[in-house]
Amino acid sequence: MTVKEIFETMDYGTAPESAGDALAWITDQGARFGHFIDGAFTDPGDTFATINPASGEVLAEITKGSGADMDAAIAAARRAQPRWEKQGGKARARFLYALARLLQKHARLAAVLETLDSGKPIREARDIDVPLAQRHFYYHAGLAQLLDEERPDTKAHGVCGQVIPWNFPLLMLAWKVAPALAAGNTVVLKPAEWTSLTALFFADLCRQAGLPKGVVNIVTGDGTTGAALVGAEVDKIAFTGSTEVGRAIREATAGQGKALTLELGGKSPYIVFEDADLDSAVEGLVDAIWFNGGQVCCAGSRLLVQEGIAQRFHGKLRARMDTLRVGNPLDKSIDVGAIVHPDHLSRIRQLVDGRGEGTPYRAKTAMPEGCYYPPTLITGLSPASELMQEEIFGPVLTATTFRTPSEAVEIANNTRYGLAASVWSENINTALDIAPKLAAGVVWVNGTNMFDAAAGFGGLRESGFGREGGWEGLDAYLAPAEGKALKPVAAFTGETAEPQPVDRTAKLYIGGKQARPDGGYSRTVYTRAGKLIGQAPIANRKDVRNAVEAARGAGGWAAATAHNRAQVLYYLAENLSARGDEIAKLIDRMTGGRTGKTEVEASVDTLFTWAAMADKAGGEVKQVPIRGVALGMREPVGVIGTLCPDAAPLSGLVSVMAPALAMGNRLVAVASEPFPLIAAEMIQLLETSDVPAGAVNLLTGTHAELAPTLAAHADVDAVWCFSSGDLDASVERASAGNLKRSWVSGGRDLSAVTTRDWLAAATEIKTVWIPYGA
Ligand code: NAI
């Protein structure tokens, strides 16, 4: 055969990796596994088989965790937690470092075990999953070392319940366990039922690392075991998996005071502009959609190609698809391995086969028998087609075209998800103009599927909330200091029907205009002595909807420069200060106290602080190990709905409004329920301080009635509830609809909330990976 012929056929010999050591490890453990609780393996109980999807052979028997197993694991974690936290970050860093070293020493064994259990190509397990898992432990050893100095005012949550999926079993474990331990938490982790082996292998490494017993506990089982963990007495839940289960977890934990992060599904756009390097973009797609057989939450599964080059690009792509090698995952020469489980294969088939939509193309490559699905491209789909909207989670790329950059953004953002996006263009202006416009937690410029422990990863919308990686990921495992207990504050009542000297009937403030309440009802407001001081409108659901619409329409505020936003906040402070005495008196009259002056002063100070912060919280450059950098851009969350604190009508409102506005959010705020007349004063201040119409919308009314509407509204991106009524459960439950971020009081006031906490709540970190340097 000539060299020319070799290149033409691209024939290759197989290069199988030996499974011997990994199978021997399984046999050494008895091939029947119990859980890892309190530093030791339990006896196997009610077991199920874990299979090698590539061959169908049973690898081992795994125990299905019961409620009692879960209780034992949580009790062990609870016992171990105080000492684990108290010894300090530096001591914890040594253990994390030891775990990183052990993962490195046993890298090959871990990779082969992962490939056997999940069907992923050994090349990926060896070169991506395992090295990234090590890197995660190294990086978090570093964060633990620096923690006490960098985050002196925080503490660990306590015991974390962690539930992970089957697509990156060891890597997802690392993403969950490393930050939790670094922050001083102990964990109970439930691996996915199809892929528990590397978690059990990791348990063995914990023993070897001398990790104190109870710090890491692993309970295997299926969704029922996961649900038992979610419902148990833990302080935080971290979940990666399907949006459906994420939503169920949000509902199940509503009102339980558990911190929650959710990393869910996606349908990430892969956008190719006509000036892209097409060959690189095709090669990028191999990583975007055929990496791990497309069983990747951030897979570039929606291809958007500019119309003028679409035919040529699809042609190149089809040609490349035909050279993909599908087969035995242990063969180092293959590109696409087995589908994780026959059940998942059926699911992919059900979603894709025989749909009759678009033009499907299946790679003309040899397909082995068994649990495999061919690399597939479906072109000519409309953006609304189900195949373009539903997560397939397999090697199936669905495609459409666009004409202009703005149309590309529109189609890209036309999804309920918001996890990741790739942008391909050789024109720096195009790429960097599009990146900020994409609704995604991660954007790769001329690249795809890059990950690193230093760079935050996580989504928006129905892709969940919270970040993993970087300081932002660690912060999700740290609890803010607790404020004082929140006591219910009731409105004063009275009977005096004496007419007011001047009618000061307050109104709602929607879209920059004073508005009468839709329902036409107002509430009479009395002093402590029962003297009538005014009427406050009672907003209803329609008013909430109008206010949200106005806030949505005020997107210009997000685009205003930080300097400009700071100027507006300074102006507000100035105007508040000028009317300070008068407003302080009103506060004293309303509350029957003497806090008016302090409230005004605190509010002016808060406005100054956030004016100062506006142009100083842009984000961070992450040092990632590629030829490039990752920018951790702080972007506004969007529209924030908030129930303001009751007790301090002015400073409560300002403490919420100032950070939200400073960071470019629009706000729908419901003022203090017992002391609503502050809204009238604030409206006047807003009207005279250059705050653009719709950036702040102010309502008054009953928190318990308005909270669920605000929390459930699909156009609200986050909800903050600091009402003194017990609304946490209803707010968190209602927020599950579009999986918006929620922040509830947990029965504590805002006295301990720091500027960093507000900043984290008022921003989303978008990680933008860009080529940079040599
Ligand atoms: P899943 O969300 O059902 O499973 C993920 C993990 O959650 C597993 O450990 C499972 O045992 C556990 N779990 C299931 N029900 C639970 C419950 N009620 N409470 C607590 N834990 C529970 O994902 P599944 O069924 O394996 O895959 C279905 C689809 O989800 C996939 O086809 C894909 O579209 C998506 N998915 C997304 C992932 C991601 O990384 N975002 C990962 C895995 C699946």
Side-chain angles (χ1 to χ4, degrees):
M1 195 181 246
T2 65
V3 172
K4 183 166 178 279
E5 279 166 349
I6 291 174
F7 269 101
E8 271 166 12
T9 61
M10 289 297 272
D11 223 4
Y12 73 107
T14 54
E17 174 84 24
S18 160
D21 285 356
L23 292 173
W25 179 82
I26 295 174
T27 313
D28 283 353
Q29 310 289 315
R32 287 188 82 225
F33 290 87
H35 311 296
F36 183 69
I37 296 176
D38 211 14
F41 281 100
T42 63
D43 290 335
D46 177 11
T47 61
F48 59 93
T50 191
I51 59 156
N52 174 352
S55 63
E57 80 192 290
V58 172
L59 292 169
E61 290 288 323
I62 308 286
T63 298
K64 181 175 173 334
S66 65
D69 295 329
M70 204 48 92
D71 289 347
I74 290 164
R78 187 68 70 198
R79 280 193 302 276
Q81 198 273 329
R83 184 180 292 180
W84 178 248
E85 180 173 9
K86 215 166 145 230
Q87 65 182 329
K90 291 185 178 170
R92 294 195 297 275
R94 299 303 157 96
F95 288 106
L96 288 161
Y97 181 76
L99 286 168
R101 299 281 295 145
L102 280 163
L103 273 173
Q104 208 165 20
K105 283 182 204 156
H106 300 292
R108 206 54 170 245
L109 181 53
V112 176
L113 208 49
E114 197 73 306
T115 287
L116 283 174
D117 208 12
S118 71
K120 67 171 64 210
I122 182 68
R123 217 157 35 85
E124 293 178 7
R126 183 195 65 192
D127 298 346
I128 297 168
D129 295 55
V130 175
L132 276 176
Q134 290 160 20
R135 161 97 179 119
H136 228 74
F137 279 97
Y138 277 124
Y139 179 81
H140 284 87
L143 287 189
Q145 181 77 16
L146 305 176
L147 178 72
D148 298 336
E149 211 172 314
E150 293 278 332
R151 297 284 191 269
D153 47 0
T154 55
K155 59 187 180 60
H157 282 292
V159 175
C160 297
Q162 308 184 312
V163 180
I164 56 171
W166 40 259
N167 51 351
F168 295 91
L170 183 66
L171 183 56
M172 286 303 106
L173 173 147
W175 280 25
K176 296 275 181 287
V177 171
L181 297 195
N185 301 278
T186 53
V187 306
V188 177
L189 177 126
K190 194 208 78 70
E193 52 272 43
W194 294 338
T195 55
S196 307
L197 288 179
T198 45
L200 295 163
F201 174 70
F202 178 78
D204 202 18
L205 297 188
C206 290
R207 275 202 310 204
Q208 293 179 38
L211 200 68
K213 58 183 193 172
V215 169
V216 168
N217 304 273
I218 294 181
V219 179
T220 50
D222 60 11
T224 2
T225 313
L229 177 55
V230 167
E233 294 271 316
V234 293
D235 306 296
K236 178 191 161 100
I237 297 289
F239 172 77
T240 297
S242 62
T243 294
E244 193 192 348
V245 173
R247 184 173 286 122
I249 291 177
R250 170 67 293 177
E251 282 166 359
T253 55
Q256 294 183 349
K258 289 174 186 159
L260 179 64
T261 43
L262 298 174
E263 204 269 274
L264 311 175
K267 188 81 180 176
S268 299
Y270 188 99
I271 309 168
V272 185
F273 285 97
E274 58 194 5
D275 54 13
D277 172 346
L278 299 194
D279 293 319
S280 297
V282 165
E283 216 43 50
L285 264 174
V286 174
D287 281 341
I289 185 67
W290 293 299
F291 170 52
N292 200 18
Q295 303 166 113
V296 180
C297 52
C298 54
S301 52
R302 247 181 339 137
L303 173 63
L304 317 182
V305 185
Q306 198 154 13
E307 217 169 70
I309 53 150
Q311 254 194 340
R312 191 150 63 95
F313 188 76
H314 292 153
K316 279 174 180 281
L317 180 57
R318 288 189 195 105
R320 179 67 179 94
M321 284 167 72
D322 292 344
T323 66
L324 289 172
R325 293 157 186 155
V326 183
N328 176 12
L330 277 177
D331 178 353
K332 289 191 278 276
S333 299
I334 67 107
D335 300 302
V336 182
I339 296 297
V340 66
H341 193 274
D343 289 357
H344 189 54
L345 181 64
S346 314
R347 192 181 163 272
I348 298 172
R349 286 192 176 137
Q350 213 177 333
L351 274 171
V352 181
D353 295 357
R355 285 294 281 257
E357 280 176 84
T359 313
Y361 181 81
R362 291 182 193 266
K364 293 196 191 82
T365 184
M367 283 299 296
E369 286 292 308
C371 200
Y372 293 90
Y373 195 87
T376 302
L377 165 71
I378 308 177
T379 48
L381 292 167
S382 87
S385 142
E386 219 176 305
L387 284 171
M388 289 292 279
Q389 293 292 331
E390 286 305 311
E391 186 178 40
I392 298 167
F393 227 66
V396 181
L397 178 63
T398 58
T400 192
T401 56
F402 66 88
R403 287 178 199 162
T404 60
S406 60
E407 199 190 6
V409 172
E410 205 178 300
I411 299 174
N413 290 345
N414 177 16
T415 165
R416 63 194 173 107
Y417 297 113
L419 193 50
S422 289
V423 182
W424 291 80
S425 167
E426 289 297 288
N427 183 334
I428 187 175
N429 298 310
T430 308
L432 298 185
D433 177 53
I434 297 298
K437 293 178 179 149
L438 295 171
V442 183
V443 177
W444 295 291
V445 172
N446 291 330
T448 192
N449 272 342
M450 289 182 275
F451 312 99
D452 185 55
F457 182 90
L460 313 170
R461 302 179 172 175
E462 293 189 33
S463 293
F465 45 77
R467 295 289 176 267
E468 298 189 298
W471 278 105
E472 58 268 38
L474 190 79
D475 284 337
Y477 282 95
L478 291 167
E482 281 194 355
K484 300 188 199 93
L486 193 56
K487 294 190 200 83
V489 186
F492 299 126
T493 51
E495 284 169 15
T496 341
E498 64 187 51
Q500 296 170 74
V502 182
D503 186 355
R504 290 194 54 151
T505 302
K507 293 212 177 69
L508 308 176
Y509 188 58
I510 298 176
K513 294 197 182 72
Q514 300 205 25
R516 283 182 213 291
D518 170 73
Y521 288 103
S522 292
R523 205 195 88 205
T524 312
V525 183
Y526 300 96
T527 63
R528 186 190 285 275
K531 204 164 164 355
L532 186 151
I533 45 170
Q535 304 281 336
I538 301 178
N540 65 12
R541 281 182 288 183
K542 179 85 168 44
D543 297 309
V544 170
R545 287 199 285 269
N546 291 342
V548 172
E549 199 180 319
R552 268 282 144 212
W557 179 247
T561 64
H563 173 73
N564 181 228
R565 295 196 300 263
Q567 293 304 109
V568 171
L569 288 174
Y570 281 129
Y571 198 8
L572 256 176
E574 210 176 278
N575 286 334
L576 171 58
S577 179
R579 294 197 41 222
D581 291 346
E582 189 191 333
I583 292 176
K585 274 192 204 128
L586 171 73
I587 294 172
D588 289 347
R589 271 194 94 198
M590 273 194 302
T591 62
R594 291 168 170 274
T595 52
K597 192 161 178 286
T598 334
E599 270 207 54
V600 170
E601 279 167 7
S603 301
V604 171
D605 188 54
T606 302
L607 288 165
F608 261 73
T609 298
W610 285 99
M613 280 298 284
D615 56 4
K616 291 168 197 66
E620 230 186 300
V621 178
K622 311 292 179 115
Q623 311 251 359
V624 287
I626 59 154
R627 191 181 68 81
V629 291
L631 309 177
M633 306 291 295
R634 282 196 182 273
E635 295 196 340
V637 174
V639 173
I640 299 176
T642 175
L643 288 306
C644 294
D646 288 324
L650 176 68
S651 59
L653 171 59
V654 171
S655 63
V656 169
M657 193 176 78
L661 275 186
M663 302 322 294
N665 300 284
R666 293 91 82 193
L667 201 63
V668 175
V670 185
S672 159
E673 182 173 328
F675 312 126
L677 295 182
I678 198 67
E681 308 305 319
M682 184 52 75
I683 290 169
Q684 288 193 4
L685 293 171
L686 292 167
E687 281 180 330
T688 51
S689 306
D690 289 347
V691 177
V696 179
N697 304 276
L698 207 46
L699 307 178
T700 52
T702 315
H703 286 184
E705 266 169 44
L706 300 178
T709 309
L710 208 47
H713 201 299
D715 275 337
V716 172
D717 302 292
V719 59
W720 299 349
C721 179
F722 309 123
S723 177
S724 68
D726 185 10
L727 303 179
D728 291 5
S730 70
V731 165
E732 288 187 332
R733 197 169 302 116
S735 74
N738 68 346
L739 284 163
K740 59 175 68 66
R741 286 169 73 178
S742 60
W743 180 11
V744 297
S745 73
R748 299 278 151 179
D749 73 9
L750 294 176
S751 55
V753 176
T754 63
T755 303
R756 198 180 54 244
D757 300 327
W758 284 112
L759 183 62
T763 52
E764 291 286 1
I765 295 192
K766 179 188 255 182
T767 304
V768 185
W769 293 68
I770 54 169
Y772 189 83

